[in-house]
Amino acid sequence: MIQSNSSKNFIYGIHPLIEAIESGKEIEKIFIKRESASPQYAQLIKLIKENNLPHQYVPIEKLNRITRKNHQGVIAFISPITYDNIEQIIPTLYEDGIIPLILILDGITDVRNLGAICRTAECAGVNAIIYAEKGSAIINEDTVKTSAGAIHNIPICKVKNMVKTIKFLTESGLNIIACTEKTDELYYNLNYCEPTAIIMGSEGEGISFELRKLAQQEAAIPLLGKTESLNVSCATAVILYEIVRQRSTI
């Protein structure tokens, strides 16, 4: 059965989830209670692995906190959007004579921050947003609401291997810029008029060292007060609208 309200959109029960997978629904994450002798359970696990779907074995108490209905040990969160493929988007942008502007999100876990970023990115003309399948916020109805619907108007690409994806962007001619406070290079001194991908990190951890190593440049936003950092959605707006400013003069 599908359960939906302002903050959740999920399927519970073995047979409904099997049907959802076979019909091609976008699955964000699956929570499963370990161990079951049911033949349908074995069929479900086989489908999950064949489709390489993100899943996690959890205690029954976690499932019960999500719903008290007969979930049969299985709950899956359904994405309210359809994902795009960045490897198809980049060549199309070049063919159309568009200078690519891609936003990469590393470890953004707050659904409302994600929604706010999507809204700003769409308004600023970002061509696609990339985020990792693991360790990122689940896109749900709260994300859609916070984005004011903008998330439906911008390609969202969920990837399994962020390092591989960034290497693809580099090979495709994009300049990778990491937005981080760990540099003296101020964001407004960089040139964004060439094909560009901006990496934004989480507020707690920032951009991972692994991804920072892949960036050709780094950019910092000056902080003149006592607060150590901007909210990531605010920082994203600052750097994206510097790009808008520079590109408007081309």
Side-chain angles (χ1 to χ4, degrees):
M1 183 176 291
I2 296 179
Q3 176 84 26
S4 181
N5 56 40
S6 61
S7 62
K8 299 177 182 177
N9 192 12
F10 57 85
I11 291 175
Y12 58 87
I14 294 175
H15 185 65
L17 181 50
I18 288 174
E19 288 187 340
I21 295 171
E22 290 179 337
S23 68
K25 283 190 180 296
E26 294 279 4
I27 309 291
E28 282 285 346
K29 179 177 279 190
I30 302 170
F31 290 145
I32 311 168
K33 180 179 77 71
R34 193 181 291 277
E35 298 176 4
S36 173
S38 163
Q40 275 197 320
Y41 178 89
Q43 180 188 354
L44 174 61
I45 297 301
K46 183 171 181 287
L47 269 178
I48 289 170
K49 292 182 177 178
E50 285 177 350
N51 289 274
N52 202 20
L53 296 174
H55 61 284
Q56 181 180 347
Y57 292 99
V58 299
I60 190 70
E61 291 79 12
K62 184 176 182 70
L63 299 177
N64 290 340
R65 284 196 297 269
I66 298 171
T67 180
R68 298 297 299 183
K69 296 184 179 180
N70 184 22
H71 49 66
Q72 298 177 298
V74 178
I75 296 175
F77 289 87
I78 306 300
S79 174
I81 67 168
T82 299
Y83 293 103
D84 290 275
N85 186 338
I86 192 63
E87 294 185 3
Q88 295 175 354
I89 290 171
I90 297 299
T92 301
L93 292 173
Y94 281 129
E95 289 168 8
D96 293 342
I98 297 170
I99 301 172
L101 174 56
I102 307 300
L103 183 61
I104 301 169
L105 304 180
D106 181 28
I108 306 298
T109 57
D110 186 283
V111 296
R112 292 177 178 84
N113 269 340
L114 179 57
I117 289 169
C118 290
R119 182 174 184 173
T120 300
E122 199 278 330
C123 289
V126 170
N127 301 117
I129 294 174
I130 299 172
Y131 80 104
E133 183 177 277
K134 291 185 178 180
S136 300
I138 293 175
I139 293 179
N140 59 19
E141 295 305 321
D142 280 344
T143 319
V144 175
K145 184 177 180 180
T146 309
S147 79
I151 197 168
H152 292 303
N153 299 321
I154 185 170
I156 307 292
C157 306
K158 182 171 65 171
V159 301
K160 298 182 185 300
N161 189 324
M162 190 68 86
V163 170
K164 181 180 177 182
T165 298
I166 292 177
K167 287 181 178 178
F168 162 75
L169 294 175
T170 302
E171 291 165 1
S172 299
L174 277 75
N175 185 36
I176 313 299
I177 300 174
C179 188
T180 173
E181 77 282 359
K182 298 174 183 177
T183 179
D184 294 326
E185 187 67 63
L186 296 179
Y187 76 99
Y188 45 72
N189 291 329
L190 274 61
N191 174 24
Y192 304 101
C193 294
E194 58 188 12
T196 300
I198 302 293
I199 308 177
M200 302 299 299
S202 67
E203 288 182 72
E205 303 296 330
I207 300 169
S208 68
F209 178 72
E210 190 176 30
L211 298 194
R212 277 187 66 199
K213 286 195 303 181
L214 298 174
Q216 283 85 51
Q217 292 180 289
E218 295 184 337
I221 297 171
L223 300 170
L224 307 182
K226 295 181 180 179
T227 307
E228 292 183 356
S229 66
L230 288 169
N231 173 281
V232 64
S233 65
C234 296
T236 302
V238 169
I239 196 163
L240 288 183
Y241 272 91
E242 172 60 18
I243 298 173
V244 170
R245 186 192 69 79
Q246 289 191 19
R247 292 191 175 192
S248 66
T249 64
I250 297 176

